[in-house]
Amino acid sequence: MAGKKQFDMDVVLDAAMVQFWRAGYADTSLDDLSKATGLNRSSIYSSLGDKDSLYLRCLDRYATRYGERYEQALSKAAEDPLRAIREFFEVTLNRIADPGVPDGCLVAQTAMAIPVLSPDIAARATEALGLQRARLRTALRAAKVAEADDFAVHLAAVNQSLAVMSRAGTSPKQLRAIVDVSLNALSQTRN
C-alpha cells in the first residue's frame, strides 16, 4: 500500500528487546527505541504500542526464546539429571558468551528493577522467574532428586546470579566454577 511503511516485526522486536536488555527499561527512551528499530515514534506507538506494551512484548519474546532452550535442556532429566542441569546452565553460559547479545539476562535485569516498574511488568518478570523454578522443579522431581523443590529454587537463583555476575565482569571460568559447585551439591542428593 502506497505511503505505508513495511517492516519485519520480528526484526523490530528483536532490536527493541536488545535495546531494553542493554540499557534497561528506565534508561531506554523512545528515541533510543526509534534508533534501535529504525521506526519513528508514531510508528512505534501505532505498530507496537506504548513503552510498557512494547517492553512486555520483548520480555515475553525473550522468555519464550530462552525458555524453549531451557525446556529442551531439561527434557531428559529423568534419565540423567546432572547432565540435564548442566545443559540447563549451558543455555545461560552460551547466552552470556554470545557476542551478538548484551551481557546478563533481561528477566534478571527486570526483576532487579521491580520496585520502579509498572505492576504489569513486575508481574510478568515474577511470572518468568516462577516458570523457571517450575521447569527445574518438574525436572528434578522426574529425576527423583531429594529436596527437589528446594533445589529448584537454589538452581534458579544460581542461574539468575550467573547473568548478574557476568554483567559485572565475572570471568567465564568463575561462572563455570559456580555451576560446578551447584552440580556437585546436586550429585550428593540423589535418592
Side-chain angles (χ1 to χ4, degrees):
M1 180 181 283
K4 186 172 182 172
K5 290 186 177 182
Q6 301 295 317
F7 58 89
D8 184 327
M9 184 63 79
D10 288 332
V11 170
V12 167
L13 287 173
D14 280 346
M17 180 179 69
V18 168
Q19 176 58 43
F20 281 127
W21 188 353
R22 181 176 290 117
Y25 176 86
D27 291 333
T28 296
S29 68
L30 281 176
D31 288 338
D32 295 330
L33 290 168
S34 181
K35 287 176 192 168
T37 63
L39 300 176
N40 64 36
R41 293 172 81 122
S42 64
S43 293
I44 290 172
Y45 278 114
S46 66
S47 301
L48 304 169
D50 65 6
K51 185 177 169 183
D52 276 13
S53 298
L54 177 55
Y55 193 79
L56 287 169
R57 287 178 75 174
C58 292
L59 193 56
D60 287 345
R61 186 173 188 82
Y62 179 93
T64 298
R65 178 174 295 157
Y66 292 103
E68 289 171 359
R69 295 174 190 177
Y70 288 129
E71 291 280 349
Q72 179 64 34
L74 294 171
S75 67
K76 298 206 187 306
E79 296 103 42
D80 191 348
L82 289 176
R83 181 174 177 207
I85 299 300
R86 181 170 294 285
E87 289 179 10
F88 169 85
F89 282 125
E90 284 299 321
V91 172
T92 299
L93 294 172
N94 288 337
R95 185 191 67 232
I96 289 168
D98 183 350
V101 297
D103 283 336
C105 168
L106 184 60
V107 172
Q109 184 176 330
T110 304
M112 290 186 299
I114 280 177
V116 297
L117 296 174
S118 74
D120 288 342
I121 294 173
R124 195 70 55 87
T126 301
E127 179 183 311
L129 291 170
L131 182 56
Q132 186 170 88
R133 283 189 305 273
R135 279 187 191 105
L136 285 160
R137 184 173 37 255
T138 299
L140 294 170
R141 284 180 179 172
K144 298 180 178 17
V145 170
E147 302 176 33
D149 295 350
D150 291 340
F151 255 100
V153 171
H154 170 78
L155 295 171
V158 169
N159 196 53
Q160 293 306 312
S161 73
L162 293 173
V164 172
M165 293 174 75
S166 77
R167 197 161 181 133
T170 302
S171 75
K173 182 179 178 181
Q174 290 170 318
L175 295 175
R176 288 199 179 279
I178 293 165
V179 168
D180 290 343
V181 168
S182 291
L183 289 170
N184 184 47
L186 181 62
S187 73
Q188 296 176 34
T189 65
R190 295 291 311 268
N191 283 342

